[in-house]
Each structure stands twice: as structure tokens, then as C-alpha cells.
Amino acid sequence: AADMEVIEMATRVQEIDCFEAVDKSGCRYTITESASQTSLDAMNGMTQWVSQSTYFRALGFGPVGQISDSEFEIFLVGVKVIRV
């Protein structure tokens, strides 16, 4: 049997974006976009991180759903916000 080289892949959560959003009454929220990433080790020893999935959170309010490129819903309070 041929020897199999076991490559250990690391994972991390990386913040990839942060922006302001506003609801219809003018309240502002800070939204962060994070990605679950997996490392790919190249032959030259460099590590490349590949995003597996992304998700949004409102600071102080938890998970956020993306409705469109600019519209989001903050689940905890049921508020729709627009990216500014």
C-alpha cells in the first residue's frame, strides 16, 4: 500500500466586512460579515484561506438575514435595514 500523506486543514472565522445600516425610523446598526474559512496549504508552503460560508450579525442584536445586496433583516427585533 502506498503511504498516504495526511494534510491537516485548519478552519477559522474571519470578519471580512463591516458596514452601517439604517431602519425606516433612522436608527443605525453596525453589521459585520464573517466567513467560515478552510486553509489550503500550497506546495510552496503558503497557506491560502478559502471561504466556505458567510453570515451577517448586527452588533448587539445577533444574526441578520440578507434580503438583497443592500437590504437586511435583524431577526431578534424583526427590523428591516438598508445598507448606507
Side-chain angles (χ1 to χ4, degrees):
D3 287 335
M4 297 290 288
E5 183 180 344
V6 176
I7 299 172
E8 193 171 310
M9 294 189 348
T11 58
R12 70 180 184 185
V13 173
Q14 185 74 20
E15 184 178 304
I16 57 177
D17 196 11
C18 183
F19 56 90
E20 295 291 313
V22 62
D23 67 16
K24 65 183 177 185
S25 63
C27 292
R28 295 179 77 86
Y29 301 86
T30 300
I31 310 291
T32 59
E33 180 180 5
S34 299
S36 297
Q37 299 179 331
T38 302
S39 68
L40 297 178
D41 293 326
M43 297 284 201
N44 62 5
M46 300 293 290
T47 298
Q48 179 180 6
W49 292 94
V50 178
S51 293
Q52 301 297 315
S53 61
T54 60
Y55 60 92
F56 298 90
R57 295 183 68 80
L59 292 183
F61 293 93
V64 171
Q66 184 174 18
I67 297 168
S68 68
D69 286 344
S70 61
E71 191 175 6
F72 301 84
E73 182 177 4
I74 301 173
F75 295 129
L76 183 64
V77 289
V79 172
K80 289 184 180 174
V81 295
I82 302 292
R83 185 178 185 148
V84 291

